[in-house]
Amino acid sequence: MAHDVTVPDEQYWDARYAQSDRMWSGRPNSALVREAGDLTPGSALDLGCGEGADAIWLAEQGWQVTAVDISGVALGRAAGHATAAAVADRITWQQHDLGATFPAGTFDLVTAQFLHSPSDAMPREDILRKAAAAVAPGGVLLVVGHAGLPAWEPDSEVHLPTPDEVVAGLGLPDDQWELLRCEEHPSFRTGHDGKPDPRTDNTVKLRRRTA
């Protein structure tokens, strides 16, 4: 489904999700499991939660999760999955166009997994700066994104930043943040056509210093 740039992102994503009963695998992102698996559970903010697999996994690990997406269709589906997983009481679902509104509060973990838009209209750098501002002292910011275009969208003109570009775009003071990870890595998933879709992804992980 090509993205008509005249269509608001909310309508675009609602239409995408409405095309099928499940758009994603239902499994948490492997980078989240790898990077957050040894963190002490507390409060977490999941930006771009989609159908809720990451939020549900975090809740199962003991986190109290605020999960955010632009699509009401996705959020309704995610809430149903959380109920089925018996963790609905540990997740609060919020609908936000993150370029316009952002969840209130601070969190021990803020995670943005593949927070991309089919157009450059989404102010991703600004959103990630707000994400960093929402990290509590001692907390972690985890940003995982695509570094290469999908095989089914080879002509996209959307810029996919390197991990170094993500860090530079955040503009965080070195004396207030500790860079824990900044790297590209191979990723293997199933594409929209059901065929293997090898990709390169990147991970940026930072911890806000307590003093």
Side-chain angles (χ1 to χ4, degrees), residues 48-133:
C49 66
E51 293 168 321
D54 286 355
I56 290 168
W57 179 83
L58 286 167
E60 289 173 338
Q61 310 314 304
W63 294 84
Q64 193 69 42
V65 185
T66 299
V68 175
D69 204 90
I70 193 172
S71 170
V73 174
L75 289 170
R77 192 172 296 171
H81 294 161
T83 297
V87 293
D89 61 329
R90 302 196 64 84
I91 306 175
T92 299
W93 307 98
Q94 295 186 14
Q95 186 172 10
H96 288 272
D97 177 345
L98 292 169
T101 62
F102 199 88
T106 58
F107 305 84
D108 300 305
L109 171 66
V110 178
T111 172
Q113 301 281 317
F114 305 104
L115 187 65
H116 299 297
S117 171
S119 75
D120 276 325
M122 183 181 73
R124 188 172 185 267
E125 275 195 359
D126 290 344
I127 293 169
L128 293 181
R129 291 189 194 105
K130 292 176 183 177

Side-chain angles (χ1 to χ4, degrees), residues 12 24 38 46 50 54 90 102 109 120 123 151 166 168 172 198-199:
Y12 168 81
W24 309 116
D38 61 352
D46 180 12
D54 286 355
R90 302 196 64 84
F102 199 88
L109 171 66
D120 276 325
V166 172
L172 301 174
R199 303 283 291 278

Side-chain angles (χ1 to χ4, degrees), residues 16-27 51-53 56 77 81 84:
R16 280 284 303 275
Y17 281 107
Q19 286 181 319
S20 61
D21 292 334
R22 183 188 288 274
M23 191 160 78
W24 309 116
S25 70
R27 298 185 297 272
E51 293 168 321
I56 290 168
R77 192 172 296 171
H81 294 161

Side-chain angles (χ1 to χ4, degrees), residues 128-147:
L128 293 181
R129 291 189 194 105
K130 292 176 183 177
V135 177
V140 167
L141 173 65
L142 178 62
V143 180
V144 179
H146 295 308

Side-chain angles (χ1 to χ4, degrees), residues 161-170 179 182-184 202-204:
T162 67
D164 287 335
E165 287 174 333
V166 172
V167 173
L170 289 169
L179 183 60
C182 178
E183 65 180 24
E184 290 189 350
N202 57 51
T203 296
V204 170

Side-chain angles (χ1 to χ4, degrees), residues 4 10 32 39 42 77 104 132 139 155 157 167 172 182 185 190 206:
D4 181 348
E10 179 182 349
L32 174 67
L39 298 179
R77 192 172 296 171
D155 299 323
E157 297 182 357
V167 173
L172 301 174
C182 178
H185 49 84
T190 301
L206 301 108

